[in-house]
Amino acid sequence: MNELAIIVFGILAGLAIYQTLQVLNLVSLFHSPSPEPVQDESLPKAAIVLSLRGADPFLTNCIHALLNQNYPHYKVHIVIDSEEDPAWEIVNDTILRSQATHIQVKPLTFRYDTCSLKCSALIQAISQLDNSYDVVALLDADVVAHPDWLRELVAPLADKQIGATTGNRWYIPQIGKWGTLVRYVWNAPAVTFMYIYQCPWGGSMALKLSVLRKAQLLEIWKQGVSVDSPIHKALREIGLKVKFVPSVMMSNREECNFAQCLRFITRQLLVARLYNPNWAVIASAVLINTLALLMIPPMLVIALITSNFYTAILIAGGAVSYILGIALLLMLEEQSVRRVLRARGEPTESFSVVMMAKVLLAIPLTQLVYAVTTIAAIFVQSVEWRGITYQIKDAWNIRLTKYYPYQQSNKSLDTKISL
């Protein structure tokens, strides 16, 4: 029994040490000196492209933020799934109230059945840009961009070795739904992984238009279900890098229930299975780590029944240490992100004692969810996103099975519930 306990905690300790090193690497970037301010005349003309299907809870705030960027020459291009979509009225009302002229709104006119609707929307918007644009910035509808968001994304592209810049999302639980907490705990190591392996996040990123065309991303998107996942490989093949920009980490304060959380994580892992060359390593680490955790309760029971109290203390202490260690890493990332949010004036309320206790409980729960969704992602052959189902045979064999306009749910648009 002692030997088995040592093996189990050796596995957990090894994975925890590896994760610690990666988190510390990321945290150090958050605390690095801010770059020198960029003068307006050095910034190229940019297009912000936003695709919409359904009205996200903070859509009005999202549009308002895009119209008020601290950037000299840019235009917002929005492609909405259809004029029947609930987002259509919200977007146009917001534009009317602001009297903005640097924005263009169009319905999606051609839907490829070989890729996601988001890919179709981005292909439509970007293919219509003229040569006066040098940069394309992408974001998701759940992002409320701070005034310097576009400036901070575009500035590093002056480096000829950088083809794309990216931030990431950081979930901030508000009322502590279990689905929200699991998504929050799961997302933290995902952010670290994406930084280490230069995986861009399409919810907050920018690319040089010339690079986008050279990498043939529009053609790649015509066959895929993900916008951001193929970008790193496409840029690497032409000798360019993806640069992570800490100041464009974007907070997400939406809540989700447990079923929504499971669907979200499964969808993210499916994309990883399809496009990430490290998928086998990711899946193996998740399943081995979960198996080690699952062995702890029966080992503890056996140790207590056989009066092997030394082993029982070893097992219980190791399990608690593992959970507290993961919590510490989570806190380090949390404080680093909050530092960025405070610098731009966003609220960063401290977690209550109850919320912190629930986060601790959510850590082992998240590991179980991670294993279940990893297995689901291995076998799933279709994915549903906002009412549309995509059949997936492999990474480049996608079929949109049936299209229909987005149907508004009964939830109020001003809620904080994810679509």
Side-chain angles (χ1 to χ4, degrees), residues 332-351:
L332 287 174
E333 283 192 80
E334 178 76 32
Q335 292 305 313
S336 297
V337 174
R338 285 175 179 249
R339 183 172 180 266
V340 169
L341 300 183
R342 284 194 298 269
R344 61 183 188 231
E346 287 193 38
T348 55
E349 304 88 351
S350 298
F351 285 168

mmCIF file of all heavy atoms in Angstrom, residues 332-351:
data_model
loop_
_atom_site.group_PDB
_atom_site.id
_atom_site.type_symbol
_atom_site.label_atom_id
_atom_site.label_comp_id
_atom_site.label_asym_id
_atom_site.label_seq_id
_atom_site.Cartn_x
_atom_site.Cartn_y
_atom_site.Cartn_z
ATOM 1 N N LEU A 332 -2.059 32.763 -8.062
ATOM 2 C CA LEU A 332 -0.985 33.519 -8.713
ATOM 3 C C LEU A 332 -1.449 34.070 -10.060
ATOM 4 O O LEU A 332 -1.206 35.243 -10.385
ATOM 5 C CB LEU A 332 0.243 32.630 -8.906
ATOM 6 C CG LEU A 332 1.053 32.285 -7.659
ATOM 7 C CD1 LEU A 332 2.154 31.275 -8.007
ATOM 8 C CD2 LEU A 332 1.663 33.543 -7.046
ATOM 9 N N GLU A 333 -2.107 33.229 -10.840
ATOM 10 C CA GLU A 333 -2.639 33.695 -12.120
ATOM 11 C C GLU A 333 -3.725 34.738 -11.909
ATOM 12 O O GLU A 333 -3.774 35.758 -12.606
ATOM 13 C CB GLU A 333 -3.189 32.519 -12.925
ATOM 14 C CG GLU A 333 -2.140 31.661 -13.584
ATOM 15 C CD GLU A 333 -2.735 30.708 -14.594
ATOM 16 O OE1 GLU A 333 -3.020 31.129 -15.730
ATOM 17 O OE2 GLU A 333 -2.937 29.526 -14.243
ATOM 18 N N GLU A 334 -4.597 34.476 -10.944
ATOM 19 C CA GLU A 334 -5.701 35.406 -10.649
ATOM 20 C C GLU A 334 -5.162 36.787 -10.310
ATOM 21 O O GLU A 334 -5.638 37.808 -10.826
ATOM 22 C CB GLU A 334 -6.534 34.857 -9.491
ATOM 23 C CG GLU A 334 -7.678 35.752 -9.047
ATOM 24 C CD GLU A 334 -8.862 35.706 -9.982
ATOM 25 O OE1 GLU A 334 -9.108 34.649 -10.589
ATOM 26 O OE2 GLU A 334 -9.534 36.751 -10.111
ATOM 27 N N GLN A 335 -4.172 36.856 -9.432
ATOM 28 C CA GLN A 335 -3.619 38.145 -9.028
ATOM 29 C C GLN A 335 -2.927 38.840 -10.196
ATOM 30 O O GLN A 335 -2.973 40.071 -10.311
ATOM 31 C CB GLN A 335 -2.643 37.948 -7.864
ATOM 32 C CG GLN A 335 -3.303 37.500 -6.573
ATOM 33 C CD GLN A 335 -4.428 38.430 -6.138
ATOM 34 O OE1 GLN A 335 -4.276 39.654 -6.128
ATOM 35 N NE2 GLN A 335 -5.562 37.849 -5.774
ATOM 36 N N SER A 336 -2.278 38.079 -11.062
ATOM 37 C CA SER A 336 -1.623 38.673 -12.228
ATOM 38 C C SER A 336 -2.644 39.288 -13.180
ATOM 39 O O SER A 336 -2.449 40.405 -13.688
ATOM 40 C CB SER A 336 -0.789 37.616 -12.960
ATOM 41 O OG SER A 336 0.248 37.129 -12.127
ATOM 42 N N VAL A 337 -3.737 38.563 -13.418
ATOM 43 C CA VAL A 337 -4.781 39.088 -14.300
ATOM 44 C C VAL A 337 -5.457 40.292 -13.657
ATOM 45 O O VAL A 337 -5.720 41.310 -14.331
ATOM 46 C CB VAL A 337 -5.814 37.987 -14.631
ATOM 47 C CG1 VAL A 337 -6.973 38.580 -15.425
ATOM 48 C CG2 VAL A 337 -5.158 36.857 -15.413
ATOM 49 N N ARG A 338 -5.729 40.217 -12.365
ATOM 50 C CA ARG A 338 -6.374 41.343 -11.674
ATOM 51 C C ARG A 338 -5.498 42.590 -11.729
ATOM 52 O O ARG A 338 -6.008 43.713 -11.781
ATOM 53 C CB ARG A 338 -6.683 40.970 -10.232
ATOM 54 C CG ARG A 338 -7.884 40.033 -10.097
ATOM 55 C CD ARG A 338 -8.098 39.576 -8.661
ATOM 56 N NE ARG A 338 -9.251 38.701 -8.558
ATOM 57 C CZ ARG A 338 -10.392 39.035 -7.946
ATOM 58 N NH1 ARG A 338 -10.523 40.232 -7.411
ATOM 59 N NH2 ARG A 338 -11.389 38.179 -7.893
ATOM 60 N N ARG A 339 -4.200 42.410 -11.704
ATOM 61 C CA ARG A 339 -3.283 43.550 -11.824
ATOM 62 C C ARG A 339 -3.504 44.270 -13.153
ATOM 63 O O ARG A 339 -3.515 45.503 -13.220
ATOM 64 C CB ARG A 339 -1.844 43.038 -11.718
ATOM 65 C CG ARG A 339 -0.777 44.112 -11.755
ATOM 66 C CD ARG A 339 0.581 43.482 -11.442
ATOM 67 N NE ARG A 339 1.651 44.454 -11.456
ATOM 68 C CZ ARG A 339 2.418 44.711 -12.513
ATOM 69 N NH1 ARG A 339 2.217 44.032 -13.633
ATOM 70 N NH2 ARG A 339 3.378 45.622 -12.456
ATOM 71 N N VAL A 340 -3.681 43.492 -14.221
ATOM 72 C CA VAL A 340 -3.957 44.071 -15.539
ATOM 73 C C VAL A 340 -5.312 44.770 -15.549
ATOM 74 O O VAL A 340 -5.450 45.890 -16.056
ATOM 75 C CB VAL A 340 -3.920 42.971 -16.624
ATOM 76 C CG1 VAL A 340 -4.455 43.489 -17.950
ATOM 77 C CG2 VAL A 340 -2.505 42.444 -16.798
ATOM 78 N N LEU A 341 -6.325 44.125 -14.962
ATOM 79 C CA LEU A 341 -7.666 44.699 -14.956
ATOM 80 C C LEU A 341 -7.712 45.992 -14.161
ATOM 81 O O LEU A 341 -8.352 46.972 -14.566
ATOM 82 C CB LEU A 341 -8.665 43.687 -14.388
ATOM 83 C CG LEU A 341 -8.801 42.359 -15.140
ATOM 84 C CD1 LEU A 341 -9.870 41.484 -14.502
ATOM 85 C CD2 LEU A 341 -9.099 42.577 -16.615
ATOM 86 N N ARG A 342 -7.040 46.005 -13.003
ATOM 87 C CA ARG A 342 -7.019 47.232 -12.184
ATOM 88 C C ARG A 342 -6.334 48.376 -12.921
ATOM 89 O O ARG A 342 -6.748 49.531 -12.810
ATOM 90 C CB ARG A 342 -6.314 46.959 -10.861
ATOM 91 C CG ARG A 342 -7.138 46.177 -9.850
ATOM 92 C CD ARG A 342 -6.513 46.254 -8.464
ATOM 93 N NE ARG A 342 -5.179 45.645 -8.452
ATOM 94 C CZ ARG A 342 -4.948 44.371 -8.175
ATOM 95 N NH1 ARG A 342 -5.975 43.560 -7.900
ATOM 96 N NH2 ARG A 342 -3.723 43.888 -8.169
ATOM 97 N N ALA A 343 -5.290 48.052 -13.683
ATOM 98 C CA ALA A 343 -4.547 49.089 -14.398
ATOM 99 C C ALA A 343 -5.412 49.810 -15.420
ATOM 100 O O ALA A 343 -5.155 50.968 -15.754
ATOM 101 C CB ALA A 343 -3.328 48.472 -15.084
ATOM 102 N N ARG A 344 -6.452 49.139 -15.906
ATOM 103 C CA ARG A 344 -7.329 49.805 -16.863
ATOM 104 C C ARG A 344 -8.697 50.154 -16.262
ATOM 105 O O ARG A 344 -9.649 50.437 -16.987
ATOM 106 C CB ARG A 344 -7.470 48.965 -18.120
ATOM 107 C CG ARG A 344 -8.063 47.582 -17.955
ATOM 108 C CD ARG A 344 -8.047 46.873 -19.300
ATOM 109 N NE ARG A 344 -8.764 45.621 -19.290
ATOM 110 C CZ ARG A 344 -8.273 44.469 -19.722
ATOM 111 N NH1 ARG A 344 -7.041 44.423 -20.208
ATOM 112 N NH2 ARG A 344 -8.986 43.367 -19.700
ATOM 113 N N GLY A 345 -8.778 50.110 -14.946
ATOM 114 C CA GLY A 345 -9.960 50.620 -14.262
ATOM 115 C C GLY A 345 -11.127 49.667 -14.130
ATOM 116 O O GLY A 345 -12.225 50.087 -13.758
ATOM 117 N N GLU A 346 -10.929 48.378 -14.394
ATOM 118 C CA GLU A 346 -12.030 47.422 -14.240
ATOM 119 C C GLU A 346 -12.168 47.010 -12.776
ATOM 120 O O GLU A 346 -11.179 46.919 -12.049
ATOM 121 C CB GLU A 346 -11.783 46.174 -15.095
ATOM 122 C CG GLU A 346 -11.961 46.402 -16.577
ATOM 123 C CD GLU A 346 -12.026 45.095 -17.347
ATOM 124 O OE1 GLU A 346 -12.631 44.128 -16.838
ATOM 125 O OE2 GLU A 346 -11.471 45.041 -18.458
ATOM 126 N N PRO A 347 -13.392 46.738 -12.327
ATOM 127 C CA PRO A 347 -13.596 46.302 -10.939
ATOM 128 C C PRO A 347 -12.989 44.933 -10.689
ATOM 129 O O PRO A 347 -13.063 44.043 -11.542
ATOM 130 C CB PRO A 347 -15.123 46.263 -10.797
ATOM 131 C CG PRO A 347 -15.644 46.094 -12.199
ATOM 132 C CD PRO A 347 -14.666 46.831 -13.075
ATOM 133 N N THR A 348 -12.382 44.754 -9.536
ATOM 134 C CA THR A 348 -11.750 43.473 -9.188
ATOM 135 C C THR A 348 -12.086 43.130 -7.743
ATOM 136 O O THR A 348 -11.223 43.128 -6.872
ATOM 137 C CB THR A 348 -10.218 43.540 -9.363
ATOM 138 O OG1 THR A 348 -9.710 44.647 -8.581
ATOM 139 C CG2 THR A 348 -9.828 43.748 -10.805
ATOM 140 N N GLU A 349 -13.354 42.863 -7.496
ATOM 141 C CA GLU A 349 -13.784 42.539 -6.146
ATOM 142 C C GLU A 349 -13.140 41.235 -5.670
ATOM 143 O O GLU A 349 -13.002 40.283 -6.436
ATOM 144 C CB GLU A 349 -15.311 42.393 -6.080
ATOM 145 C CG GLU A 349 -16.084 43.606 -6.574
ATOM 146 C CD GLU A 349 -16.348 43.552 -8.068
ATOM 147 O OE1 GLU A 349 -15.787 42.653 -8.740
ATOM 148 O OE2 GLU A 349 -17.088 44.411 -8.575
ATOM 149 N N SER A 350 -12.773 41.212 -4.392
ATOM 150 C CA SER A 350 -12.184 40.005 -3.812
ATOM 151 C C SER A 350 -13.248 38.930 -3.657
ATOM 152 O O SER A 350 -14.433 39.217 -3.448
ATOM 153 C CB SER A 350 -11.566 40.317 -2.449
ATOM 154 O OG SER A 350 -10.532 41.263 -2.572
ATOM 155 N N PHE A 351 -12.822 37.667 -3.766
ATOM 156 C CA PHE A 351 -13.741 36.560 -3.541
ATOM 157 C C PHE A 351 -14.128 36.513 -2.060
ATOM 158 O O PHE A 351 -13.300 36.753 -1.180
ATOM 159 C CB PHE A 351 -13.087 35.233 -3.922
ATOM 160 C CG PHE A 351 -12.990 35.002 -5.403
ATOM 161 C CD1 PHE A 351 -12.204 33.978 -5.900
ATOM 162 C CD2 PHE A 351 -13.679 35.795 -6.307
ATOM 163 C CE1 PHE A 351 -12.096 33.740 -7.265
ATOM 164 C CE2 PHE A 351 -13.588 35.571 -7.669
ATOM 165 C CZ PHE A 351 -12.791 34.551 -8.150
#
